[in-house]
Amino acid sequence: MGSPRIDAEVLEASPALALIAHAAGTVKAHVAEECWDRGITVTTAAQANGVPVAEYTLAYILLAGKDAAGAQNKLRAQRSRYVPDMIAPGLGMPAALLASLAPHALAGSSWNS
């Protein structure tokens, strides 16, 4: 459930509490009015987290648009049949060498025609 709420009960048990440092976003749900009334310094990492959260969000929007998760699942399912030349012709093992080492690897591909 995240960070606990710092309320009057917690403050009673923590008379020397002078600082609340929240290493995430907003403190609205975590800091009761009594903390402000008592003059406790409250800090948060919301501003520092803003740019990385926006970058992460944009990255996932772009990946979703390219169906990266679908491509990953497809590659996982076909991992045992991975042949570099079938994915990027010319970058992996030469097709003739591959055919001599593992003829079944090219079965059904355009390389054995």
Side-chain angles (χ1 to χ4, degrees):
M1 277 280 202
S3 299
R5 182 161 173 78
I6 308 298
D7 57 14
E9 182 181 345
V10 173
L11 292 177
E12 284 179 33
S14 311
L17 183 64
L19 171 69
I20 297 171
H22 185 60
T26 183
V27 295
K28 290 178 187 176
H30 307 295
V31 178
E33 190 66 35
E34 293 87 356
C35 295
W36 306 111
D37 295 342
R38 195 164 130 182
I40 295 173
T41 301
V42 178
T43 185
T44 178
Q47 189 172 7
N49 287 342
V51 171
V53 167
E55 291 171 342
Y56 187 83
T57 302
L58 176 59
Y60 268 80
I61 289 169
L62 296 172
L63 288 169
K66 296 178 180 295
D67 192 27
Q72 179 185 20
N73 291 335
K74 183 178 178 183
L75 285 172
R76 245 189 217 136
Q78 297 175 350
R79 186 174 295 179
S80 63
R81 299 181 307 175
Y82 170 72
V83 179
D85 271 336
M86 292 172 73
I87 294 173
L91 295 180
M93 187 180 298
L97 177 59
L98 178 62
S100 68
L101 296 174
H104 66 280
L106 295 176
S109 76
S110 61
W111 290 103
N112 63 353
S113 48

